[in-house]
Amino acid sequence: FAVMCAYHIPKTRLSSVCLCAAIYPAPNASKSMNLFNKLAWNVVLKSRFLTYAAVKQEGMQAFRSPAKKIAGNIMGQSSYDDIMLMRYPEIVGLFSESIREQYADLKTGVTAEVEDYMLFRRAWNLDFKSKDEQELSSVHIISGSHDQGSTPEMAAYLHQNIPGSTLDIKENCGHLVLFGFFREVIAKITA
């Protein structure tokens, strides 16, 4: 959604945006994904019905046991770097709270998540290069080198297509790159 803000909101109203682990339907987007994430990505691209069924099942399990959901999905499908972050009870607590909020009303939570996924089925046809670079918000892109969901390929594609953007691939980081670099993100968007 930050990509849309950077595209549509003039620099006079939004001076800078930081995209952390930004997902975008870029060519070769699934190149560095693990097998589970490649399968999920392809389900999203090909079938709204299967996406809804999978998210509903996931939502029911997650609401009953957020900690188990975190252990299964995040710990089971993530990079080593993300797994190491899950040693901190504060981070597990934040994820558990977020899961409870997301699925408190199962139908609404599932529908919202599926709608988010549907946004990634095709490119958004945002032609940043046709915009006056002086009017664009400054865009900083951060990605973890080991992110298996919002891949470094997605980040590189966004960087190549957003004039004046900066790209920072953080070595030995996964999808949860924001937790390790939140001070840098704050500095970038408040500069």
Side-chain angles (χ1 to χ4, degrees):
F1 301 109
V3 172
M4 295 299 281
C5 290
Y7 186 77
H8 289 290
I9 301 174
K11 190 173 193 167
T12 55
R13 294 186 49 216
L14 180 69
S15 62
S16 60
V17 173
C18 191
L19 310 177
C20 293
I23 191 166
Y24 191 81
N28 298 320
S30 64
K31 181 179 175 185
S32 59
M33 289 180 183
N34 62 29
L35 186 59
F36 177 85
N37 287 348
K38 281 182 183 181
L39 175 64
W41 179 257
N42 282 301
V43 166
V44 167
L45 294 178
K46 297 194 180 349
S47 174
R48 180 187 202 91
F49 174 78
L50 290 177
T51 301
Y52 188 88
V55 171
K56 183 177 180 183
Q57 183 65 29
E58 181 181 81
M60 289 187 303
Q61 291 172 353
F63 188 75
R64 283 194 296 264
S65 180
K68 188 174 182 181
K69 159 80 170 149
I70 291 167
N73 277 31
I74 294 175
M75 304 293 269
Q77 306 302 331
S78 296
S79 67
Y80 176 78
D81 316 298
D82 290 342
I83 293 168
M84 291 291 87
L85 280 170
M86 288 299 147
R87 295 178 302 166
Y88 299 100
E90 304 92 326
I91 293 176
V92 173
L94 288 170
F95 272 93
S96 294
E97 183 180 330
S98 175
I99 288 168
R100 278 191 222 91
E101 287 176 8
Q102 173 77 24
Y103 299 113
D105 174 349
L106 184 65
K107 184 175 182 183
T108 302
V110 168
T111 301
E113 188 171 344
V114 169
E115 291 304 317
D116 280 354
Y117 289 145
M118 292 300 105
L119 290 173
F120 308 122
R121 290 179 81 163
R122 60 182 126 321
W124 302 338
N125 298 321
L126 302 178
D127 185 8
F128 278 91
K129 293 178 180 177
S130 70
K131 293 235 177 205
D132 180 358
E133 195 171 329
Q134 299 301 318
E135 294 179 16
L136 286 174
S137 301
S138 125
V139 177
H140 183 65
I141 304 163
I142 297 177
S143 180
S145 64
H146 298 153
D147 192 333
Q148 297 174 18
S150 303
T151 64
E153 291 83 10
M154 293 176 188
Y157 180 82
L158 286 167
H159 174 59
Q160 291 166 1
N161 288 281
I162 301 175
S165 65
T166 58
L167 175 63
D168 191 359
I169 304 289
K170 299 294 187 183
E171 290 302 316
N172 301 315
C173 289
H175 186 67
L176 305 178
V177 66
L178 178 60
F179 287 100
F181 296 93
F182 67 92
R183 285 184 180 88
E184 180 179 324
V185 170
I186 292 169
K188 289 285 184 187
I189 62 176
T190 58

